[in-house]
């Protein structure tokens, strides 16, 4: 999640102070990725260092305001126009867990899959319920529309994860069945092994 570019997008709407940016960021994303104020101000300091935002005085309550610079707008436009890079995917804890569970002693990988599937399906049901509540009325503003988009992405992601878990379980079943039908590897008898390994006498 690019907090850096998210803050630039919010600042393009006008000057903001730190806690205001945090509130608007969480409102736009439905608090899916909560921020703390320290994280926001650290990012603002880096943006200011890079010339992408500038301090713009204070509001009536004495909050330090930040505004996006021309370079910041150029950076933001480039971010919107550039596809998200999928060539270096982030680490996925579930994929790592299943990869490590394969063949791990004492681990029932099918139980791991079933436990995760239960959790994933429940999360998908919760997201779907939230979506139904959000659609009770037509979204009234851009924040509600943005939250709906994020929510639908979470639903699609959960659906894909559930299908992937089904696939993993099916693959494991097929591998187990194939292993059960393979003939046991024949091992030579000890006598035969001794005969084979005995050196020939010279005449």
């Amino acid at each position: 999640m690019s907090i850096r570019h998210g803050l630039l997008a919010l600042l393009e709407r006008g000057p903001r102070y730190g806690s205001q940016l945090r509130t608007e960021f969480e409102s736009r994303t439905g608090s899916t990725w909560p921020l703390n104020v320290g994280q926001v101000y650290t990012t603002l300091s880096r943006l200011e260092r890079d010339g992408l935002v500038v301090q713009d005085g204070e509001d009536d309550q004495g909050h330090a305001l930040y505004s996006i610079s021309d370079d910041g707008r150029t950076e933001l436009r480039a971010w919107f126009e550039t596809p998200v890079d999928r060539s270096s995917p982030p680490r996925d804890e579930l994929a790592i867990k299943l990869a490590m569970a394969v063949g791990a002693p004492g681990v029932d990988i099918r139980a791991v899959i079933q436990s995760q599937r239960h959790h994933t399906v429940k999360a998908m049901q919760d997201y779907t319920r939230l979506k139904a509540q959000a659609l009770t009325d037509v979204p009234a503003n851009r924040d509600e529309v943005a939250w709906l988009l994020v929510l639908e992405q979470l639903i699609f992601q959960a659906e894909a994860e559930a299908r992937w878990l089904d696939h993993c379980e099916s693959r494991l079943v097929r591998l187990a069945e194939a292993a059960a039908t393979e003939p046991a590897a024949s091992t030579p008898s000890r006598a035969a092994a001794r005969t084979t390994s005995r050196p020939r006498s010279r005449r």
Side-chain angles (χ1 to χ4, degrees):
M1 181 63 192
S2 179
I3 299 171
R4 172 187 178 95
H5 293 99
L7 297 185
L8 285 176
L10 294 173
L11 287 172
E12 194 174 34
R13 299 168 60 183
R16 302 282 193 279
Y17 55 87
S19 59
Q20 184 179 14
L21 285 167
R22 181 191 66 173
T23 299
E24 292 188 12
F25 183 95
E26 293 185 351
S27 176
R28 186 67 67 89
T29 61
S31 298
T32 303
W33 301 283
L35 300 179
N36 59 61
V37 173
Q39 193 174 10
V40 171
Y41 278 108
T42 297
T43 305
L44 286 172
S45 295
R46 291 172 180 165
L47 290 170
E48 185 178 15
R49 177 200 63 193
D50 296 340
L52 303 180
V53 305
V54 295
Q55 292 199 34
D56 193 15
E58 298 179 348
D59 65 4
D60 295 338
Q61 286 75 43
H63 299 117
L65 297 173
Y66 291 83
S67 294
I68 189 170
S69 67
D70 289 340
D71 287 345
R73 289 188 176 86
T74 300
E75 171 81 9
L76 184 60
R77 294 278 80 74
W79 182 59
F80 282 135
E81 293 167 3
T82 304
V84 174
D85 184 17
R86 299 299 187 193
S87 61
S88 300
R91 294 182 182 89
D92 184 279
E93 182 180 355
L94 177 57
I96 294 172
K97 180 188 289 189
L98 293 189
M100 296 302 168
V102 174
V107 177
D108 184 349
I109 189 170
R110 292 186 67 181
V112 174
I113 290 173
Q114 290 170 4
S115 175
Q116 183 64 45
R117 184 192 291 112
H118 175 76
H119 175 81
T120 300
V121 170
K122 183 180 183 304
M124 183 168 57
Q125 291 170 343
D126 291 340
Y127 296 146
T128 303
R129 186 161 46 251
L130 287 173
K131 177 182 176 182
Q133 293 172 359
L135 291 176
T136 301
D137 299 314
V138 177
N141 54 55
R142 69 181 75 189
D143 286 348
E144 291 183 6
V145 173
W147 163 228
L148 189 59
L149 293 178
V150 171
L151 191 55
E152 289 173 334
Q153 192 270 346
L154 293 173
I155 293 171
F156 292 144
Q157 191 175 52
E159 289 176 344
E161 184 170 284
R163 290 198 303 272
W164 177 67
L165 289 168
D166 289 342
H167 167 77
C168 290
E169 187 170 35
S170 296
R171 180 176 292 280
L172 289 170
V173 169
R174 291 197 301 271
L175 289 174
E177 291 174 347
T181 58
E182 289 180 357
S186 58
T187 56
S189 65
R190 291 183 180 180
R194 285 197 298 271
T195 303
T196 303
S197 61
R198 182 182 303 159
R200 296 180 180 178
S201 60
R202 296 182 179 180
R203 294 182 180 178

